[in-house]
Amino acid sequence: MTTTTAHPLVTRARRLAAELLVPEAGRVDQEGVPASHIAAVKRSGLLGVVAPVAYGGAGAPPAVLRETAEILAGACCSTWFVQTQHHTPVQTLAQSELPVRERLLGPLARGELLAGVAYAHLRSYPRVPVRVRREGGGRRFDGTVPWYTGWGLNDVMLLAGVTDAGEVLFAFAEARDQPGLRASAPMRLAALTAARTVSLELTGLWLPEEAVALRMPYERWAPGDRARTLNANPAVFGVAEAALCLLDEEAAAPLRARLADVRRRAYALADHPAPLERAEERLAVRAAAYEMLRTATTAAVVAGGGRSMALTNRAQRLAREALFLLVQGQTAETRTAHLRALGGA
């Protein structure tokens, strides 16, 4: 897949992938993302790729974020998944006018802190897994966060809940066990166990008002979240390309041409100025990207033969990572569209 930008962060991502992530990916898959990998990502500047320049970030365009995501995901999907959480808190703070922006945006943009996110449960609304109420000059959080990635690696988390008035509220908390916040044991998953995913039990976690980063009616927040889920995830193209690299050129060439075509269409839609327009087309291209991911990783397993069944085999790991990407960020809308595409509808 050809490089679309000459941005310095793309060069750094490729160097990080070649020198650290690819050589260590098999061990990381079995043992977990080490703190040293996170330290290397922090030093690289990649955590600030879309952060404002005024706060120490690169202020790069979306194409750079997409390409660095492809590179990292194809090199070590677990490390990519931990660090990709960070960009939502950065973008949330960049658009916020609340005091927490001045306290945290700089450290996050410069890679001094790594942030995780705990907000996917908002997509189950009107069911409310996490409720927020006012208490003592701050906010009290109660409920369960089903999935939180990067536990033990992240410094802070962006935690979301819903108020009694139907507002979504996001606030920053330290990513550690504390009064009112308890993490489960790390989950054992078919893929990306290495990313240290836990569930969080909230029993009166209290955060001061100055920790709040965003508050708005659910109906105003939801369209923006929907727009993010309609498009193909760049990690899909990174993992697919990594799988094609395991084939000889004769087998890889036609698949690479098809992958490049889907990628081009996906990114043209992602750059469309109206993010909710052409929703059906976006969902169709998203499903086509998943089909190419399945084809590419299956081809890598077939080419590897019996060796592909070893847990240390790269083709087998990429195939498991592909399974993970099928459901990562999934919503009822994307699930329905994907199943319809699989059925040939």
Side-chain angles (χ1 to χ4, degrees):
M1 205 170 293
T2 56
T3 298
T4 57
T5 68
H7 196 280
L9 285 181
V10 173
T11 302
R12 289 187 211 171
R14 293 196 182 283
R15 184 181 305 123
L16 180 67
E19 296 178 359
L20 177 66
L21 300 186
V22 170
E24 294 288 315
R27 182 178 66 84
V28 166
D29 178 61
Q30 296 299 307
E31 300 178 9
V33 176
S36 56
H37 270 43
I38 299 306
V41 172
K42 286 179 172 180
R43 289 193 301 270
S44 71
L46 291 166
L47 294 179
V49 59
V50 293
V53 173
Y55 287 82
V64 175
L65 179 61
R66 292 194 296 253
E67 190 159 3
T68 56
E70 287 184 22
I71 294 165
L72 298 183
C76 178
C77 200
S78 294
T79 300
W80 161 78
F81 193 50
V82 172
Q83 67 81 43
T84 199
Q85 318 291 320
H86 181 90
H87 301 296
T88 295
V90 167
Q91 291 166 329
T92 300
L93 285 175
Q95 297 166 10
S96 177
E97 297 180 354
L98 297 173
V100 70
R101 170 186 171 120
E102 298 308 313
R103 178 167 66 89
L104 285 179
L105 184 51
L108 293 179
R110 295 188 296 269
E112 296 164 11
L113 298 175
L114 177 69
V117 293
Y119 79 91
H121 51 275
L122 293 179
R123 294 171 184 151
S124 65
Y125 190 84
R127 189 169 65 85
V128 181
V130 177
R131 189 163 295 281
V132 190
R133 297 181 175 90
R134 290 188 179 275
E135 184 177 283
R139 304 284 177 159
R140 174 190 171 114
F141 289 76
D142 289 280
T144 301
V145 175
W147 303 90
Y148 179 82
T149 294
W151 187 254
L153 297 170
N154 296 322
D155 302 296
V156 296
M157 72 169 77
L158 183 60
L159 171 64
V162 178
T163 70
D164 290 338
E167 291 183 316
V168 295
L169 186 142
F170 287 73
F172 280 92
E174 292 186 27
R176 60 175 178 81
D177 282 335
Q178 55 189 289
L181 169 59
R182 184 70 57 186
S184 72
M187 299 179 189
R188 290 192 56 78
L189 306 172
L192 275 74
T193 288
R196 304 195 196 184
T197 297
V198 299
S199 62
L200 303 176
E201 289 299 322
L202 305 170
T203 53
L205 174 66
W206 185 87
L207 298 175
E209 193 67 29
E210 53 267 27
V212 175
L214 174 69
R215 196 184 87 207
M216 67 173 59
Y218 181 87
E219 290 74 15
R220 279 185 54 205
W221 174 82
D225 181 63
R226 178 181 179 233
R228 284 188 290 272
T229 63
L230 289 175
N231 294 312
N233 187 333
V236 168
F237 302 113
V239 172
E241 175 63 23
L244 294 183
C245 288
L246 300 180
L247 306 180
D248 62 39
E249 189 54 35
E250 183 180 1
L255 296 178
R256 188 169 281 120
R258 286 163 53 191
L259 181 64
D261 178 65
V262 175
R263 180 180 184 261
R264 176 189 55 77
R265 289 189 285 143
Y267 289 170
L269 288 167
D271 288 334
H272 190 280
L276 290 174
E277 286 186 6
R278 300 164 68 178
E280 289 301 315
E281 183 181 358
R282 293 175 191 273
L283 290 169
V285 172
R286 188 180 191 270
Y290 282 132
E291 178 62 15
M292 281 308 309
L293 176 64
R294 182 194 64 80
T295 300
T297 54
T298 299
V301 169
V302 170
R307 296 185 303 275
S308 298
M309 291 301 99
L311 280 176
T312 54
N313 183 270
R314 190 180 185 194
Q316 174 269 144
R317 173 172 55 80
L318 291 169
R320 286 189 289 108
E321 292 168 353
L323 287 176
F324 173 85
L325 291 173
L326 290 179
V327 297
Q328 189 264 325
Q330 187 185 65
T331 66
E333 181 181 27
T334 61
R335 181 187 301 112
T336 298
H338 193 179
L339 289 172
R340 189 168 59 243
L342 289 171

